[in-house]
Amino acid sequence: MSAKNSQKAPSKSAKAASAKVPDAELIGITTQKEADFSNWYQQVLTKGDMLEYYDISGCYILKPWSYGIWEKVQDWFNIKIKSIDVENCYFPMFVSSKVLEREKDHIEGFAPEVAWVTKAGKTELEEHIAIRPTSETVMYPYYAKWIRSHRDLPLKLNQWNSVVRWEFKHPQPFLRTREFLWQEGHTAHVSQENAEEEVLQILEWYAGVYSELLAIPTIKGRKTEKEKFAGGLFTTTCEGYIPTTGRGIQGATSHCLGQNFSKMFNIVVEDPSWKEGDPEEAKKLFVWQNSWGLSTRVIGVMTMIHGDNKGLVIPPRVAQYQVVIVPCGLTAKTTEEQRKKLLEGIENIATTLSEAGIRVKADTRDTYSPGYKFNDWELKGVPVRLEFGPKDMEKKQVFSARRDTGVKAGIPLDGLAEKVQTLLDTIQKDLYDRAKKAYDEHIIIVKKWEDFTPALNDKNVILMPHCDNEECEDEVKERSKGRKDDDAPEDAKAPSMGAKSLCIPFDQPKGDDAIIPGTTKCPQCGENAKHYTLFGRSY
Amino acid sequence: MSAKNSQKAPSKSAKAASAKVPDAELIGITTQKEADFSNWYQQVLTKGDMLEYYDISGCYILKPWSYGIWEKVQDWFNIKIKSIDVENCYFPMFVSSKVLEREKDHIEGFAPEVAWVTKAGKTELEEHIAIRPTSETVMYPYYAKWIRSHRDLPLKLNQWNSVVRWEFKHPQPFLRTREFLWQEGHTAHVSQENAEEEVLQILEWYAGVYSELLAIPTIKGRKTEKEKFAGGLFTTTCEGYIPTTGRGIQGATSHCLGQNFSKMFNIVVEDPSWKEGDPEEAKKLFVWQNSWGLSTRVIGVMTMIHGDNKGLVIPPRVAQYQVVIVPCGLTAKTTEEQRKKLLEGIENIATTLSEAGIRVKADTRDTYSPGYKFNDWELKGVPVRLEFGPKDMEKKQVFSARRDTGVKAGIPLDGLAEKVQTLLDTIQKDLYDRAKKAYDEHIIIVKKWEDFTPALNDKNVILMPHCDNEECEDEVKERSKGRKDDDAPEDAKAPSMGAKSLCIPFDQPKGDDAIIPGTTKCPQCGENAKHYTLFGRSY
């Protein structure tokens, strides 16, 4: 098996055929993840075939390699939400200015980023039309029309679409883009209790997209008043962590809107619990609403967490191909008959795996060397590579290489599918466990303010008892900007941004660390602490 | 079974609870399909819960009842295209003006309808940005980048997205809307032969969406030069027919773009058949391209063809619910125990059908009478209604009613799932057969020009030997405007538009009707006829 471990340059014929391609693009990632994360991220996405930069800033092309991951997220999440009778639908991307601006707090949050259509062909439009930045104000006038009785509740709609937020900050693929794909669920309920139950159920599934599909741990919690969704009652979130930069990242948010929008849009029913004799005004029940969204950002988070210096590392459950088979050990001396036999053997392996439900690709391109193919599929992050050569055929085995660890092992052809599936499950679990360990080791409980910024600079997120005041959050951010230890030699590029509150985790420190009401103080301002809040530099 | 055949008003309790709803909205369609088709279409869509009108003209809300049909089309078509290695992806909705305008013929076709974003927040954009009316010019600059060798071919990408064409003509739900959902496939091939093979394969599947899923016959053919896609080489199409109006309707189009776009965008590879000694310029091979699209228009066509004066009629294969079960025969005398037993029985039936893969809904709402529910589900077009009452329970049977024919019959509970499936298959087939018969009866071969407009006015589409000249097509349209027989009493609202060429059918009249080259003349202009062209008033 001559090709094993080799990272050969493209074979002669491959080189000749791809003469037009500059060498620099054929080879792998040229930056270390730890050395220049931003450049690494850009390279791993483009060379890993996930994404292409577009000629309009802040817009990107999702190539099949990333869009396929999104399709898997869609399939999984659709099954979940359909199980609680959420229905998919489609609302227009356009919203008139008067409808968009109906809810003041809400629009304030989005107004600076709204893209406006003012012209069609050569005709100036009489009224300018916005492209939805999110669909609350698009949908709720119709909820008011459709919901006429408590028997029309709950109303649970979802759409998979794209929204536009014309940010002027530095764009970043998947994380901050001017157009992005997401789902947005919008539901209406008869009671706060029903609404809240759903908010948490959805959050659980969002965390599930991360943990079960993408092998990423998150911390679930509630956003502070300062960070919650504009116009809503409260926001729940699952927060991830990027070890390389030590920054937190919002995973997805599930909002309880309360009755704020229903009052604004007059979404009202007769209270089913109203009885003759109750005050007349008690008859009117404004519905309780939720909205919740998960975007293609998940793909960016996955890339940042699992990727390494060889390229992407894609968790098996979302990988387009879970296994790639590469024919090896073919030389100039190999007869046509031997070659044919080997390729048949590979076809058989592919069929066996495919029939067992494993997504497999046999890379039988004859113009590339095995070494080139190894690099190529490592760059693209396929979880398992199987090598198969004449000697393997004799021994009735394949040779496997894990993308995540590089660990190699022979696997007998007998019972292959089962063993490969076990290997894929192990990889999925190991990816999660490693990410979990990295997260856990970087959650630091801070009880004295002077420990805060140093801990932050050490790439941690911080659990700090907090007073829950917005001004104090502003102070935390201001005071944690830059480095306290400017003389420190390492990592000149440490982010200078201040820490934001990421969430108030549902799972609060217990035992000795537990908040004692009236006694535990907020280290930043000295007021009584209400609970631990998770702080961090963030995306 | 007291409720059988009854079309009762809502029961007392239902009436009380829905006091807010104006009576007019509770009852069914108030117009006859034959009497006022346009009003009927609007009512059947809104009352059948498919669609809601939106406050921006030409934009509509696709409610779950219609979006679910689209999801079924997506699932079916995705499997087909993935079988030939088409991959899904996502390109931005925005396109810069300079890229949009690169291909002149193409943009000429779309320019008057392009929506322009000129502002973000309060900032005027330096360059105005178009919303894609279709994605040829969005995608092909990247095809030029990605396709570097013939080994990168074929490249086959598809996206499910929405596009915007700001038409100023009278909008019509699903048929002519300013934003609509579709899929657009864009592929590149090494040879004309490969490209053409795919064009026809895709067309076959488009016709399959209509025939297999929507129970609609279409005629496959090629568009004339006048009607082909702007900038392409040739366009293939499947053309439907709306019996009520006698108008043709374009189903979906699959275009061979030839090398026109590849020359414009410089999508070029080294010809693999080039040999040393061949002329140097023969080395350069511009790729052969296709694009093909199918939109939510299919839902409109389905509605127009199958719907009747009671509302929607949805073919089983795309119906969200294929079967609805309505408890019947409950009276004031029914004991709570009997009631409970009946509902359990219904639950069992639902489970049995559901486990057999039938999409079933048990309508156990206790605030509505059976008669109200019958109307409701008929309006929404559910293919089969099953009624189940105490007497049915005794007889171990259910009572079925077909939505399409109204035919009623008992079905024993023993072997129910299989019998219901057979019934659904029969309905699917019968719907197709009826639509096919209606189409076939209205395809008229016309060989003398004086027969043309009268045949058109009799709600036919017309097969006429044609010379293939664009000017002649213009003449056909002009001369077939309005009615020749203005004194005719019937159908004052007959459309006055002229006939367009719908397609040149692949399946040409044979035998006595066959074109004799050099002998058969075009009845309109007297020139030699090349083939039969299908003409009709159209949408």
Side-chain angles (χ1 to χ4, degrees):
Chain A
M1 299 214 26
S2 66
K4 189 110 64 237
N5 287 322
S6 75
Q7 302 286 340
K8 278 187 204 157
S11 70
K12 225 170 183 179
S13 62
K15 251 189 195 154
S18 53
K20 290 168 56 191
V21 184
D23 267 1
E25 298 195 31
L26 274 181
I27 56 173
I29 312 294
T30 58
T31 316
Q32 299 285 301
K33 187 179 184 184
E34 276 68 26
D36 184 351
F37 186 69
S38 155
N39 186 342
W40 170 87
Y41 181 61
Q42 182 180 326
Q43 285 199 29
V44 82
L45 288 179
T46 52
K47 296 187 176 181
D49 218 17
M50 298 279 265
L51 172 138
E52 178 76 50
Y53 280 69
Y54 191 66
D55 79 321
I56 295 175
S57 169
C59 295
Y60 303 90
I61 298 162
L62 301 198
K63 296 179 81 172
W65 202 243
S66 63
Y67 192 81
I69 295 172
W70 187 234
E71 287 183 308
K72 283 175 191 67
V73 169
Q74 289 185 307
D75 289 345
W76 188 89
F77 192 68
N78 262 333
I79 289 171
K80 298 295 182 194
I81 60 176
K82 286 180 181 181
S83 78
I84 57 164
D85 298 324
V86 174
E87 297 179 294
N88 286 332
C89 65
Y90 190 78
F91 278 72
M93 71 156 85
F94 296 119
V95 52
S96 66
S97 53
K98 65 172 183 296
V99 172
L100 182 68
E101 287 155 9
R102 186 92 63 91
E103 211 293 321
K104 294 299 168 202
D105 290 338
H106 177 67
I107 189 54
E108 242 178 50
F110 290 104
E113 300 172 357
V114 170
W116 291 96
V117 174
T118 67
K119 229 173 62 173
K122 292 189 184 305
T123 311
E124 297 286 335
L125 299 183
E126 277 183 39
E127 194 196 8
H128 292 180
I129 290 169
I131 304 178
R132 62 180 162 223
T134 177
S135 298
E136 279 75 9
T137 60
V138 173
M139 296 169 82
Y140 299 166
Y142 298 91
Y143 280 43
K145 184 175 175 191
W146 298 336
I147 298 171
R148 296 164 142 164
S149 145
H150 65 90
R151 280 178 290 104
D152 297 323
L153 298 174
L155 177 63
K156 303 184 186 181
L157 298 181
N158 178 65
Q159 41 178 342
W160 297 93
N161 59 20
S162 77
V163 289
V164 172
R165 299 176 187 175
W166 204 267
E167 303 212 40
F168 291 94
K169 278 187 268 184
H170 184 62
Q172 195 153 24
F174 292 115
L175 303 196
R176 187 184 298 128
T177 64
R178 285 175 168 175
E179 180 192 6
F180 60 85
L181 300 178
W182 75 344
Q183 60 65 221
E184 49 176 332
H186 295 267
T187 62
H189 303 263
V190 75
S191 70
Q192 177 164 16
E193 193 189 347
N194 294 359
E196 290 189 1
E197 187 189 334
E198 183 197 79
V199 163
L200 293 178
Q201 173 63 80
I202 295 294
L203 185 69
E204 200 60 48
W205 286 330
Y206 284 163
V209 167
Y210 279 98
S211 61
E212 290 189 37
L213 299 185
L214 305 169
I216 292 171
T218 57
I219 291 177
K220 287 171 287 189
R222 195 161 55 78
K223 287 281 186 188
T224 61
E225 285 300 298
K226 179 178 158 66
E227 298 291 340
K228 77 175 186 185
F229 183 68
L233 182 62
F234 66 88
T235 289
T236 66
T237 180
C238 54
E239 298 282 326
Y241 169 75
I242 309 297
T244 316
T245 58
R247 285 159 75 176
I249 186 156
Q250 180 177 301
T253 47
S254 175
H255 317 291
C256 181
L257 303 178
Q259 297 172 302
N260 189 22
F261 285 89
S262 66
K263 284 176 182 165
M264 222 52 79
F265 288 94
N266 200 34
I267 313 174
V268 65
V269 299
E270 195 174 297
D271 190 338
S273 67
W274 186 87
K275 290 179 304 292
E276 212 64 58
D278 287 352
E280 194 61 24
E281 62 273 22
K283 215 172 183 174
K284 211 173 169 178
L285 178 97
F286 289 100
V287 304
W288 288 82
Q289 290 181 271
N290 297 332
S291 72
W292 27 272
L294 174 102
S295 80
T296 38
R297 151 174 289 216
V298 299
I299 299 169
V301 179
M302 181 207 82
T303 302
M304 287 184 161
I305 288 180
H306 299 307
D308 64 21
N309 289 325
K310 286 184 178 175
L312 294 165
V313 176
I314 303 184
R317 288 202 55 188
V318 292
Q320 198 89 308
Y321 302 135
Q322 298 172 309
V323 173
V324 61
I325 315 175
V326 179
C328 292
L330 295 172
T331 65
K333 291 183 194 161
T334 311
T335 66
E336 190 51 39
E337 171 126 7
Q338 285 170 319
R339 210 186 112 75
K340 210 180 134 197
K341 238 176 114 188
L342 189 73
L343 291 180
E344 272 172 19
I346 283 177
E347 210 41 66
N348 288 340
I349 294 171
T351 306
T352 304
L353 296 181
S354 179
E355 282 174 355
I358 294 167
R359 297 186 290 274
V360 58
K361 166 85 179 174
D363 184 355
T364 54
R365 295 177 288 178
D366 57 8
T367 40
Y368 294 103
S369 71
Y372 179 88
K373 292 178 184 176
F374 291 3
N375 282 345
D376 195 29
W377 294 110
E378 281 177 353
L379 201 49
K380 296 183 81 172
V382 171
V384 169
R385 178 179 77 230
L386 297 181
E387 306 167 15
F388 192 64
K391 283 182 188 157
D392 298 301
M393 200 150 68
E394 271 171 37
K395 288 196 228 163
K396 295 190 199 300
Q397 66 155 30
V398 293
F399 208 78
S400 71
R402 283 175 64 157
R403 172 64 184 87
D404 61 331
T405 59
V407 169
K408 297 178 177 66
I411 307 181
L413 287 180
D414 190 36
L416 180 68
E418 203 179 315
K419 289 189 190 85
V420 169
Q421 186 57 58
T422 304
L423 182 59
L424 291 170
D425 294 344
T426 304
I427 293 171
Q428 182 81 27
K429 182 174 181 308
D430 288 355
L431 284 173
Y432 179 85
D433 289 347
R434 271 196 296 279
K436 180 82 166 73
K437 184 159 175 287
Y439 201 164
D440 287 348
E441 286 174 356
H442 287 88
I443 303 167
I444 305 290
I445 292 185
V446 161
K447 293 178 179 172
K448 291 181 296 187
W449 174 254
E450 55 268 37
D451 295 342
F452 190 95
T453 309
L456 205 61
N457 288 341
D458 284 344
K459 298 187 176 175
N460 296 304
V461 289
I462 292 162
L463 276 173
M464 184 177 81
H466 193 242
C467 58
D468 229 7
N469 292 323
E470 230 173 296
E471 301 73 33
C472 180
E473 265 184 80
D474 291 337
E475 277 295 300
V476 167
K477 191 169 184 181
E478 194 51 41
R479 291 178 71 186
S480 59
K481 270 183 188 161
R483 304 175 63 94
K484 288 294 163 192
D485 49 343
D486 278 335
D487 299 335
E490 83 278 23
D491 196 6
K493 284 194 178 177
S496 61
M497 73 174 74
K500 286 202 314 186
S501 76
L502 306 175
C503 71
I504 302 163
F506 292 146
D507 190 10
Q508 289 276 313
K510 293 186 185 65
D512 289 351
D513 286 324
I515 299 274
I516 304 164
T519 299
T520 311
K521 303 295 175 194
C522 168
Q524 198 287 128
C525 69
E527 296 289 318
N528 282 336
K530 300 235 174 89
H531 34 239
Y532 278 90
T533 296
L534 187 69
F535 287 92
R537 291 181 172 134
S538 91
Y539 285 89
Chain B
M1 301 219 24
S2 65
K4 189 107 64 233
N5 286 323
S6 75
Q7 302 284 342
K8 277 188 207 158
S11 71
K12 226 171 182 177
S13 61
K15 252 190 194 154
S18 53
K20 290 165 59 193
V21 184
D23 266 1
E25 299 198 29
L26 273 180
I27 57 171
I29 314 294
T30 58
T31 316
Q32 300 284 301
K33 186 178 183 183
E34 275 67 28
D36 184 350
F37 186 67
S38 154
N39 186 343
W40 171 87
Y41 182 60
Q42 180 178 328
Q43 284 198 30
V44 82
L45 288 178
T46 52
K47 295 184 175 182
D49 219 17
M50 297 278 266
L51 171 136
E52 178 78 48
Y53 280 70
Y54 191 66
D55 78 320
I56 295 175
S57 170
C59 296
Y60 303 91
I61 298 162
L62 300 199
K63 296 178 81 171
W65 202 242
S66 63
Y67 193 81
I69 295 172
W70 186 236
E71 287 183 308
K72 282 175 192 69
V73 170
Q74 289 184 307
D75 289 345
W76 189 89
F77 192 69
N78 262 332
I79 289 171
K80 299 294 183 197
I81 59 175
K82 286 180 183 183
S83 78
I84 56 164
D85 298 324
V86 175
E87 298 180 293
N88 286 330
C89 65
Y90 190 79
F91 278 71
M93 70 156 88
F94 295 120
V95 52
S96 66
S97 52
K98 67 173 182 295
V99 172
L100 182 69
E101 287 154 9
R102 186 93 59 92
E103 210 296 318
K104 296 298 170 205
D105 290 338
H106 177 67
I107 188 55
E108 242 178 51
F110 289 103
E113 299 172 358
V114 170
W116 291 96
V117 174
T118 66
K119 226 172 63 169
K122 293 189 185 304
T123 311
E124 297 287 335
L125 299 183
E126 276 182 40
E127 194 196 8
H128 292 181
I129 290 170
I131 303 177
R132 61 178 163 224
T134 177
S135 298
E136 279 74 10
T137 59
V138 173
M139 296 168 81
Y140 298 166
Y142 299 91
Y143 281 41
K145 183 174 177 191
W146 298 336
I147 297 169
R148 293 164 146 166
S149 146
H150 65 90
R151 282 180 287 104
D152 297 323
L153 298 174
L155 177 64
K156 304 184 185 182
L157 298 181
N158 177 65
Q159 41 177 342
W160 298 93
N161 59 20
S162 77
V163 289
V164 171
R165 299 175 188 176
W166 205 266
E167 304 214 37
F168 292 93
K169 280 186 266 185
H170 184 63
Q172 194 153 21
F174 293 116
L175 303 196
R176 188 183 297 128
T177 65
R178 286 177 168 174
E179 180 191 5
F180 59 86
L181 300 179
W182 74 345
Q183 62 66 222
E184 48 177 331
H186 295 267
T187 62
H189 304 263
V190 75
S191 71
Q192 178 165 15
E193 192 190 350
N194 294 359
E196 289 189 2
E197 186 188 338
E198 184 197 80
V199 163
L200 293 178
Q201 174 62 81
I202 294 294
L203 185 70
E204 201 58 48
W205 286 331
Y206 285 163
V209 166
Y210 279 98
S211 61
E212 291 190 36
L213 299 185
L214 303 168
I216 292 171
T218 56
I219 290 178
K220 285 172 288 188
R222 196 162 54 78
K223 287 282 184 190
T224 60
E225 284 302 298
K226 178 177 158 68
E227 297 291 338
K228 76 175 187 186
F229 183 68
L233 182 62
F234 65 88
T235 290
T236 66
T237 179
C238 55
E239 297 282 324
Y241 169 74
I242 309 295
T244 318
T245 59
R247 285 160 73 177
I249 187 158
Q250 180 177 301
T253 46
S254 176
H255 317 291
C256 180
L257 303 178
Q259 297 173 302
N260 189 20
F261 285 88
S262 67
K263 284 176 181 165
M264 222 51 77
F265 288 95
N266 200 35
I267 313 175
V268 64
V269 299
E270 195 173 298
D271 190 338
S273 67
W274 186 87
K275 291 180 303 291
E276 214 64 57
D278 287 352
E280 193 63 23
E281 62 273 22
K283 215 173 184 175
K284 210 170 169 182
L285 179 97
F286 289 100
V287 305
W288 289 82
Q289 291 182 272
N290 296 333
S291 72
W292 26 272
L294 174 103
S295 80
T296 39
R297 150 174 290 214
V298 298
I299 300 169
V301 179
M302 180 205 82
T303 302
M304 288 185 161
I305 289 182
H306 299 307
D308 64 21
N309 290 325
K310 285 182 178 176
L312 294 165
V313 175
I314 302 183
R317 288 203 55 189
V318 292
Q320 197 89 308
Y321 303 134
Q322 300 172 307
V323 173
V324 60
I325 315 174
V326 179
C328 292
L330 296 172
T331 65
K333 288 183 195 160
T334 312
T335 65
E336 191 49 38
E337 170 126 6
Q338 285 169 321
R339 210 186 113 76
K340 211 181 131 194
K341 238 176 110 185
L342 188 74
L343 291 180
E344 273 172 21
I346 283 176
E347 210 41 65
N348 288 339
I349 294 170
T351 306
T352 302
L353 296 181
S354 178
E355 281 172 355
I358 294 167
R359 297 186 291 274
V360 57
K361 165 85 178 175
D363 185 356
T364 53
R365 294 176 289 177
D366 56 8
T367 40
Y368 294 102
S369 71
Y372 178 89
K373 291 177 185 176
F374 290 4
N375 282 344
D376 195 28
W377 294 111
E378 281 177 353
L379 201 49
K380 297 182 81 173
V382 172
V384 170
R385 178 178 76 230
L386 296 181
E387 306 166 15
F388 192 64
K391 282 181 189 159
D392 299 300
M393 200 149 71
E394 269 171 38
K395 290 196 229 164
K396 294 189 199 301
Q397 67 155 27
V398 292
F399 208 79
S400 70
R402 281 175 66 157
R403 173 63 185 86
D404 62 330
T405 59
V407 169
K408 297 179 178 66
I411 307 179
L413 287 181
D414 191 37
L416 180 68
E418 202 181 316
K419 290 188 188 84
V420 169
Q421 187 57 59
T422 304
L423 182 59
L424 291 169
D425 294 344
T426 305
I427 293 171
Q428 182 81 28
K429 181 172 182 309
D430 288 356
L431 284 173
Y432 179 84
D433 289 347
R434 271 196 297 279
K436 180 82 167 74
K437 184 159 176 285
Y439 201 165
D440 287 347
E441 287 173 356
H442 288 88
I443 303 167
I444 306 290
I445 293 186
V446 162
K447 294 178 180 171
K448 292 180 295 188
W449 174 253
E450 55 267 37
D451 294 341
F452 190 94
T453 310
L456 205 62
N457 289 340
D458 284 343
K459 297 187 177 175
N460 296 304
V461 289
I462 293 161
L463 276 173
M464 184 176 82
H466 193 242
C467 58
D468 228 9
N469 292 324
E470 230 172 298
E471 302 72 31
C472 180
E473 264 184 81
D474 291 338
E475 277 295 301
V476 167
K477 191 169 182 180
E478 194 51 39
R479 293 178 70 187
S480 59
K481 271 184 188 161
R483 302 175 62 94
K484 289 291 163 193
D485 48 344
D486 278 335
D487 298 335
E490 85 278 22
D491 197 7
K493 284 193 176 177
S496 61
M497 72 174 75
K500 288 202 311 186
S501 76
L502 305 175
C503 71
I504 301 162
F506 293 145
D507 190 10
Q508 289 276 316
K510 294 186 184 65
D512 289 349
D513 288 324
I515 299 273
I516 304 163
T519 300
T520 311
K521 303 293 175 195
C522 168
Q524 200 286 128
C525 68
E527 296 288 320
N528 282 337
K530 301 236 174 90
H531 35 236
Y532 279 90
T533 296
L534 187 68
F535 287 92
R537 292 184 171 131
S538 90
Y539 284 90

